[in-house]
Amino acid sequence: MLMLIALLVYALIGTAIAILAKKRVSSDEEYFVAGRNVGGIVAALTYAATTYSAFMMVGLVGLTYIYGVGALGFELYYLVGTLLLLSYYAPKIWKLGKERGFVTPGDLIADRYGKNAARILALLVSIALIPYTSIQFVGISFLLGNSMSFEAGVILSAVITALWALLGGFRSVAWTDAVFGIFMLSMALAAVISAFSMNPAPGDFSRLGELLYVPNSFWTPVTFISYTLPWFFFALTNPQVVQRIFVPKDEKSLRRMVVLFGLFGLIYTILVTLFGLQLRLLSEAGEFPNVTNRDLVTPTFLGLIPEWLGVLIALSIFAAAITTANSIVLTLSSMFTRDLLKSRSVLAGRLFVAAITAAVAVFAIQKPSYIVDLAVMSSTILLCQLPLILGVIHFKAGGSLSAGLTLLAGFSTAIALYYTKLTLGIPVSVWVLIVSFAVFFVAAILEKRFKT
């Protein structure tokens, strides 16, 4: 009952924010990127809240609990990569977006490689991101298992996601991110403190054995590369965060966004992995059940602590998942509307928001793979964009044909290797990068020769 009351309050607050944001929607640019007029603090919180979803407090906690500190290295590798890439590329992409009116990541690609490349990109990222978005609904439904059925949890998540994006667009997402971002961080700290209080010897990690080392039986070099390489380039290949580079109102706000996001990410990552290790230590001490399904580690913990605290922590995860789903659905809608249909209609954008959210919900109800694994797979598929994005800044070679072939070749490689497992001991992400860059440069050379 307490959980349902908390959800109602949360939904009312978020809906009120979305209604306020709706008054500012006057064009598709305002709807999709808030008129490029977002301050640094709000930009940082929306970037952080979009990035750190149910993946963290459900997926990464479970990964740490089962396999140890390699999960910390995996996530810190992402954070360092993101900060390096943002520090160098974000100012260049922001300037291009400001000068040329980019609204979608597809606009960045179309400006350099033509409209057909942007159309292909819109289709491929939807295939990659609809499964990734579904894990947000799955994580929420696991948390709400004691309050409602799995299917009801998915439907509730979908309704809230669609409603807020439909009403206020990007500005409503950014404002709700700002409100709930600090709440996410606070509840992660509360979870760690609560877990430590349950153990009479909370700092005695020595009994965790190989979980304290990398490599170990799980975190082999190949596995570590498989998990981390796609995430290193996350800031350039995941369209929902690329689109956020367009929204700061000036360069000062952009710099502040990067710095504050880095601070948020470092604190949140340490808290989440420390939480997972402490829960595993509790299991070793007999104070916490031995959980084999890693996505159920956090829900199990929430059932053992005082109800009011469990509800607040669950609500913070709910908020993290909803904001990530909101952001991805809105970005995909912008790419479908502007890149595929070449429409500037806000109504068309809203219709796509509803349709994409429904597709995500249908996928989520199937209870797909582990949260972390599905997230890594999606990011691996998206690596096929990397040659094109780097090409915008660094390469003069390449045109429409080479761009299209690169996207299709990298995407096909990722899908084929995931299903056949014929990787020859080399991570799928490495194969995707090799194939994508090889096809890009070979096709660019041939394209140039045919033109001349």
Side-chain angles (χ1 to χ4, degrees), residues 223-358:
T223 299
F224 192 80
I225 293 171
S226 298
Y227 273 72
T228 56
L229 187 60
W231 288 83
F232 186 89
F233 295 105
F234 187 96
L236 295 181
T237 58
N238 277 63
Q240 72 274 17
V241 291
V242 173
Q243 193 171 48
R244 273 158 172 69
I245 297 175
F246 299 146
V247 305
K249 62 184 178 181
D250 50 38
E251 291 186 80
K252 180 180 178 181
S253 297
L254 179 67
R255 288 193 298 270
R256 182 174 294 175
M257 179 189 85
V258 175
V259 171
L260 293 180
F261 162 72
L263 182 61
F264 185 107
L266 179 62
I267 295 171
Y268 199 47
T269 298
I270 291 173
L271 287 175
V272 168
T273 51
L274 190 60
F275 180 44
L277 287 174
Q278 182 59 29
L279 291 182
R280 181 55 182 263
L281 194 59
L282 285 170
S283 289
E284 298 295 327
E287 302 291 335
F288 185 75
N290 286 308
V291 183
T292 55
N293 183 335
R294 62 185 192 242
D295 287 343
L296 295 180
V297 173
T298 297
T300 301
F301 170 77
L302 297 182
L304 299 176
I305 60 178
E307 185 182 8
W308 65 270
L309 181 59
V311 166
L312 289 177
I313 294 172
L315 192 62
S316 73
I317 302 170
F318 189 101
I322 289 295
T323 189
T324 297
N326 263 328
S327 300
I328 296 174
V329 165
L330 199 60
T331 296
L332 290 178
S333 172
S334 71
M335 296 179 77
F336 274 50
T337 303
R338 291 177 61 97
D339 300 335
L340 277 178
L341 298 185
K342 298 301 171 185
S343 170
R344 299 294 180 91
S345 167
V346 175
L347 175 60
R350 286 178 165 138
L351 290 174
F352 273 118
V353 163
I356 294 166
T357 306

Side-chain angles (χ1 to χ4, degrees), residues 4-130:
L4 296 178
I5 294 172
L7 286 174
L8 178 61
V9 172
Y10 164 78
L12 290 174
I13 292 172
T15 303
I17 292 172
I19 290 171
L20 288 174
K22 183 177 184 295
K23 298 177 181 179
R24 303 281 293 273
V25 176
S26 57
S27 66
D28 69 325
E29 186 178 44
E30 173 64 40
Y31 184 69
F32 290 125
V33 291
R36 309 175 198 280
N37 194 34
V38 178
I41 295 176
V42 173
L45 287 171
T46 189
Y47 196 104
T50 295
T51 302
Y52 295 122
S53 59
F55 170 88
M56 294 293 282
M57 281 293 285
V58 177
L60 195 67
V61 168
L63 191 70
T64 308
Y65 174 90
I66 298 292
Y67 299 122
V69 295
L72 175 61
F74 157 51
E75 193 61 27
L76 287 178
Y77 187 90
Y78 153 75
L79 181 61
V80 170
T82 296
L83 293 176
L84 287 174
L85 293 172
L86 286 178
S87 296
Y88 182 79
Y89 289 103
K92 301 178 185 301
I93 293 173
W94 178 86
K95 187 176 181 180
L96 285 171
K98 188 81 169 178
E99 291 174 350
R100 303 181 189 183
F102 296 163
V103 170
T104 74
D107 288 335
L108 180 68
I109 298 301
D111 183 71
R112 173 68 171 75
Y113 301 102
K115 296 178 181 179
N116 286 335
R119 291 189 181 103
I120 294 171
L121 179 64
L123 292 173
L124 297 190
V125 299
S126 66
I127 296 172
L129 287 178
I130 285 176

